[in-house]
Amino acid sequence: MTDLETRAAPPRAGALRRAAPALAGYVAVRALGLLALFLWSAARDKSAYTLLTARWDALWYVRVAELGYGYEVRLANGDVHSNLAFFPLLPWLERLVAAVSPLSYADGGFLVSLVSSLAAAWGVFAVADRVYGRRAGVCAVLLWAVLPVGIVQSMAYSESLFTALAAWSLYAVLTGRWVTAGTLALFAGLTRPVGLAVVAAVWVAALASFAQDRRAAAAGERSTQGDALEARNGAPVRPGTPFRRILGMALAPLGAAGYVLWVGHHTGKGPLGYLDVQAGWRNGFDGGWAFARFVAEKFTSFPAALAGVGLIIGVASVVWLYVTGVRQRQPLPLLVYTGVVTALALCASSYFGSKPRLLLPAFPLLLPLALALAKARIRRSAAVLGGVAVASAVYGAFWLNGSGPP
């Protein structure tokens, strides 16, 4: 299995029925997590719903939906936290929900998150099913659900919305639907800065597909300038596919580029104005140097050193999963997408506690584990996933009632 090659596509009829076990398992895991959160919060006399919809970044999204852009907070140390750092798609959807229903902006954010999390779970299944088969797809969805920070999938945050758009864009690439892939990449670019990862996946996959066409033509093989990926998977080659590829490539960066350029115009600081906005949050890309220093500082005392060891193990595990995906020859767009998401998450210069949350959209990292679980006995896989689901539910409840997502 190389580059864009994947297993034969299952029949599209009954796609929801095919994904039903994965979605049912996902709903069960998330329901367990929410139940644990509500019980834990009640015991501490806190509102679980407030933790999900009206704290941390959720408040910033609501302010954008309610007041538009231009709100900022100036801290005593001189930092300026501007709401321009938050991309607009989630606030737009919150505003839409509030306009057509009696729900508040915060309620709208929660509703969008719940719907998006289901769409994301289905997208994760579709990609994993396409590459490794149905059982691996179910395992991939359950693994994504039981992540320690999986409770974020149910918060009024943008992670679920972004993951849904990214997963379905990648699936569209794998199935040769270039315009759909580009359109979804456009919306992903309006959701989070890491939308660049989806754009990169679409572009690299399209360029690889053009290169395959040229090699096929040079070798004298039958070619209609169509999509080599579709031909290998037994799908009909559609006329004009090269044009649709180009159109998909043209659409993909418009969301991220459009917002970044608008911020630069709005701030009067030109194309790099968004970087100044992020700098006000002390956020940037330094190749991981600040994070490395943060980890090193943990070893100056005990028991902080245990946290340092845990961080090193966590980063090593992420790298190992990515390398395993490369060795297993995951499709090229998945490797590109995962690589960019991982690099941006690990190499950001601040908010080190949020790195697990920033890695949440990097679901292809879970595919090696999903494949291993799919090959194991069902009882063993169920026992492992069930135990991790309980641990994840308890941790999520503890986390949100404590420090929570920064």
Side-chain angles (χ1 to χ4, degrees):
M1 188 177 296
T2 59
D3 293 343
L4 295 179
E5 293 184 26
T6 56
R7 62 184 286 115
R12 290 301 93 195
L16 179 58
R17 184 166 60 250
R18 183 175 179 84
L23 297 181
Y26 179 79
V27 169
V29 172
R30 290 274 39 88
L32 177 63
L34 291 174
L35 175 62
L37 174 63
F38 275 81
L39 292 176
W40 193 298
S41 301
R44 294 174 59 87
D45 199 25
K46 290 185 177 182
S47 168
Y49 190 69
T50 297
L51 295 176
L52 292 169
T53 63
R55 291 191 67 186
W56 305 293
D57 289 4
L59 289 174
W60 286 91
Y61 285 118
V62 166
R63 287 194 182 102
V64 173
E66 183 177 7
L67 304 173
Y69 284 105
Y71 176 82
E72 62 183 28
V73 175
R74 295 183 177 270
L75 305 183
N77 64 358
D79 290 346
V80 178
H81 288 186
S82 168
N83 66 358
L84 290 168
F86 296 87
F87 278 48
L89 186 57
L90 178 58
W92 286 347
L93 293 175
E94 289 178 342
R95 187 177 296 176
L96 175 62
V97 171
V100 300
S101 74
L103 299 177
S104 67
Y105 295 122
D107 296 336
F110 183 63
L111 178 62
V112 170
S113 179
L114 289 183
V115 174
S116 297
S117 66
L118 283 172
W122 192 359
V124 170
F125 170 82
V127 170
D129 179 28
R130 177 79 175 174
V131 178
Y132 293 126
R134 186 183 190 186
R135 190 168 173 183
V138 173
C139 292
V141 170
L142 294 178
L143 284 169
W144 190 66
V146 303
L147 289 172
V149 294
I151 190 65
V152 174
Q153 298 164 17
S154 301
M155 297 179 67
Y157 270 42
S158 61
E159 273 78 5
S160 289
L161 177 61
F162 175 79
T163 304
L165 293 167
W168 284 108
S169 179
L170 291 171
Y171 180 76
V173 169
L174 293 176
T175 54
R177 295 170 173 86
W178 297 102
V179 176
T180 299
T183 302
L184 292 172
L186 185 158
F187 285 113
L190 287 171
T191 307
R192 296 184 63 82
V194 76
L196 294 174
V198 191
V199 177
V202 172
W203 272 65
V204 171
L207 292 174
S209 187
F210 279 120
Q212 289 168 350
D213 284 351
R214 287 197 299 271
R215 286 196 298 269
E221 297 175 5
R222 180 179 179 271
S223 174
T224 60
Q225 294 186 332
D227 195 322
L229 167 63
E230 291 180 321
R232 277 196 301 273
N233 287 331
V237 177
R238 291 170 292 187
T241 296
F243 170 75
R244 296 178 69 83
R245 251 179 273 175
I246 294 172
L247 181 56
M249 292 176 69
L251 289 170
L254 294 183
Y259 181 69
V260 168
L261 291 175
W262 178 83
V263 169
H265 174 75
H266 183 78
T267 59
K269 296 183 178 180
L272 301 181
Y274 183 76
L275 298 181
D276 289 337
V277 170
Q278 286 286 5
W281 288 79
R282 292 186 178 270
N283 197 17
F285 188 88
D286 65 355
W289 174 244
F291 184 44
R293 287 188 301 166
F294 174 77
V295 174
E297 289 171 359
K298 297 295 183 182
F299 291 93
T300 60
S301 63
F302 186 86
L306 297 178
V309 172
L311 288 170
I312 291 175
I313 293 174
V315 172
S317 298
V318 169
V319 173
W320 176 79
L321 286 171
Y322 185 77
V323 171
T324 302
V326 174
R327 289 177 175 173
Q328 292 178 346
R329 310 188 75 179
Q330 285 183 13
L332 180 62
L334 300 189
L335 294 175
V336 171
Y337 167 78
T338 308
V340 175
V341 172
T342 302
L344 291 176
L346 295 182
C347 297
S349 60
S350 69
Y351 296 104
F352 306 114
S354 67
K355 292 190 182 295
R357 174 171 65 86
L358 298 179
L359 285 168
L360 198 60
F363 67 90
L365 286 173
L366 302 173
L367 293 186
L369 299 178
L371 187 59
L373 284 173
K375 293 179 179 179
R377 295 180 180 273
I378 293 180
R379 288 185 179 180
R380 180 174 298 178
S381 298
V384 170
L385 290 169
V388 177
V390 172
S392 174
V394 173
Y395 177 76
F398 166 78
W399 187 44
L400 286 199
N401 278 276
S403 60

